[in-house]
Amino acid sequence: MRKNIVAGNWKMNLDYEQGLSLFSEIVNMAKDEVRGGQEVVVCSPFIHLASLAKLGASAPHVSIGAQNISQEPSGAFTGEISATQVKSTGANYVILGHSERRAYFGETDELLAKKVDAALAHDLVPIFCIGETKEERESGAFYDVIKRQLSKALFHLDAAAFGKIVLAYEPVWAIGTGLTATPEQAQELHAFIRQTLAEQYGQDVADNCSILYGGSANPSNAQSLFSQPDIDGGLIGGASLKSRDFLQIINVFNG
């Protein structure tokens, strides 16, 4: 059975002490409120990872993730961080293919395929992001875009390896643009993604893949989004920087 997952992406926010303080609040709330029907993941800047992993050791439903890794195992790559280094901090997840990495740092599907391989080789669970821009949405090319991103970055994996992937659908056109993806629009794309997986790997693999929604979920819309049949949780940006907002989103799964 696929997991319900709520993952927070802190992006490039919070200094070291601020990060520890926020995470301590999340862990303490989670101990009291998370009943075990969902997994909570906090993806922080690299500076926090090792300390958060120690703080989270007493909270069995809270895991730690990084926001990126290099495709290289080691070497003269100033400023990069390897999958081995991330894993050594106690982190278990890594976000790959985020729309900001694609847009601002030119990450391609081919590069991301190598990063996925590096993550899996070191027992990191990729939260792999896919989604279309405003131009791609308006041109009607979004189905082709989603298929291309899946095919070029992930479909080299066999079924067993793919079964370790978590997907996150980002409607890039609805993030920071003033536009809004309705729950029905989000469900339509999640269902399309699952059908695409079924065509590649079979229905069992598709049914067991967690697909998260990454389009500005917040406490006011999480219930309507997470109630859709193919949406298994969220990759949360701004709301993950406020402990009570983040827990309200998590608690949607507590019914």
Side-chain angles (χ1 to χ4, degrees):
M1 293 294 293
R2 60 187 188 252
K3 294 180 181 179
N4 292 323
I5 300 171
V6 179
N9 178 12
W10 288 359
K11 304 189 179 184
M12 196 176 71
N13 292 296
L14 307 177
D15 66 22
Y16 181 74
E17 293 297 335
Q18 290 170 333
L20 267 59
S21 176
L22 174 59
F23 187 73
S24 294
E25 292 176 9
I26 292 170
V27 167
N28 288 334
M29 290 180 182
K31 286 179 182 177
D32 295 333
E33 301 178 27
V34 175
R35 300 174 189 168
Q38 69 276 59
E39 183 161 358
V40 179
V41 183
V42 172
C43 297
S44 76
F46 297 130
I47 62 166
H48 301 109
L49 291 177
S51 295
L52 298 196
K54 291 178 182 177
L55 284 172
S58 61
H61 305 305
V62 181
S63 298
I64 309 302
Q67 298 174 19
N68 184 37
I69 55 169
S70 172
Q71 72 277 18
E72 301 293 344
S74 62
F77 302 101
T78 300
E80 292 294 292
I81 189 166
S82 71
T84 305
Q85 290 171 319
V86 167
K87 186 67 178 180
S88 73
T89 67
N92 293 313
Y93 286 83
V94 59
I95 298 171
L96 294 175
H98 193 280
S99 58
E100 292 161 1
R101 298 293 311 177
R102 294 175 187 264
Y104 304 150
F105 301 97
E107 293 193 350
T108 64
D109 296 320
E110 291 78 8
L111 173 65
L112 291 168
K114 296 177 181 178
K115 292 192 175 194
V116 167
D117 290 346
L120 293 176
H122 293 88
D123 296 321
L124 291 172
V125 177
I127 300 175
F128 191 84
C129 301
I130 54 178
E132 78 277 18
T133 64
K134 184 172 182 286
E135 293 74 21
E136 291 163 341
R137 182 79 183 183
E138 291 176 346
S139 71
F142 51 96
Y143 289 130
D144 291 336
V145 170
I146 297 295
K147 275 194 170 183
R148 185 205 75 222
Q149 291 170 339
L150 288 168
S151 176
K152 290 192 173 182
L154 298 178
F155 283 178
H156 65 288
L157 301 172
D158 62 22
F162 184 85
K164 301 174 183 177
I165 303 287
V166 174
L167 294 179
Y169 167 63
E170 295 184 283
V172 184
W173 55 273
I175 301 173
T177 63
L179 302 173
T180 303
T182 66
E184 292 75 21
Q185 286 174 315
Q187 166 57 23
E188 177 188 14
L189 266 294
H190 279 241
F192 172 75
I193 292 165
R194 205 174 299 283
Q195 179 57 39
T196 303
L197 301 184
E199 293 169 1
Q200 177 69 21
Y201 291 111
Q203 197 63 52
D204 284 348
V205 171
D207 287 343
N208 282 289
C209 180
S210 294
I211 308 176
L212 314 183
Y213 178 72
S216 301
N218 57 60
S220 65
N221 64 16
Q223 177 67 54
S224 60
L225 286 165
F226 295 175
S227 65
Q228 300 297 317
D230 288 295
I231 298 180
D232 303 310
L235 179 59
I236 314 299
S240 71
L241 297 172
K242 299 176 181 178
S243 55
R244 175 43 59 194
D245 285 359
F246 192 45
L247 264 291
Q248 281 186 258
I249 295 170
I250 294 164
N251 284 334
V252 167
F253 288 115
N254 287 336

